Amino acid sequence: MSESPRSEGAGQGWVEVCGVEDIIPNTGVCALVGKRQVAVVRVGEGEEIYAISNFDPFSKAFVLSRGIVGDKGGVPKIASPIYKQNFDLRTGQCLDDPTVRIPVYPVRIRSGRVEVHSAAQPPGAAS
């Protein structure tokens, strides 16, 4: 994991992470966005990309980018590789424990490059 450079002209907290094609479909990568580890997850073959905290609150380890990507009842999710808790990629809500939610980050694609915003979305905000 290395610090991501700022996108040329991106401004206002957007950080370029990598190209969409650099993320294997249905996997995640870890990026340093500001001073935070963020799991950037690609769902499927297209440009459906999500960004969540890389910190697994159950195992207390930075591992979510290595989780198992899938879907639970139509909800895009990632399962922690440690204890297998599932997190909604859109909201960060733990699908196995409603009292737990992890931060999610705005993500966008510009010219085939994935950019993540350095500020987490407030809980419950639309992605």
Side-chain angles (χ1 to χ4, degrees):
M1 177 184 69
S2 61
E3 184 155 0
S4 302
R6 287 217 171 267
S7 290
E8 185 176 311
Q12 289 108 19
W14 289 98
V15 176
E16 183 178 314
V17 173
C18 63
V20 172
E21 297 302 319
D22 294 330
I23 307 172
I24 297 169
N26 296 312
T27 67
V29 297
C30 183
L32 191 59
V33 177
K35 294 186 179 193
R36 294 184 177 91
Q37 285 191 32
V38 175
V40 181
V41 181
R42 182 178 179 193
V43 177
E45 302 278 335
E47 294 187 347
E48 187 177 350
I49 307 282
Y50 299 92
I52 61 171
S53 172
N54 195 41
F55 184 73
D56 174 7
F58 294 96
S59 68
K60 307 287 190 232
F62 289 92
V63 295
L64 290 180
S65 63
R66 295 177 179 259
I68 301 163
V69 177
D71 144 328
K72 186 171 185 179
V75 174
K77 58 103 178 166
I78 193 163
S80 169
I82 307 291
Y83 298 124
K84 309 300 185 250
Q85 280 84 7
N86 294 285
F87 295 92
D88 183 332
L89 289 168
R90 303 167 305 174
T91 65
Q93 180 64 53
C94 179
L95 300 174
D96 304 303
D97 183 342
T99 66
V100 177
R101 181 185 297 254
I102 59 173
V104 295
Y105 296 84
V107 63
R108 68 184 183 188
I109 299 170
R110 290 178 16 141
S111 302
R113 306 293 295 170
V114 177
E115 295 180 352
V116 176
H117 200 278
S118 59
Q121 292 179 332
S127 296

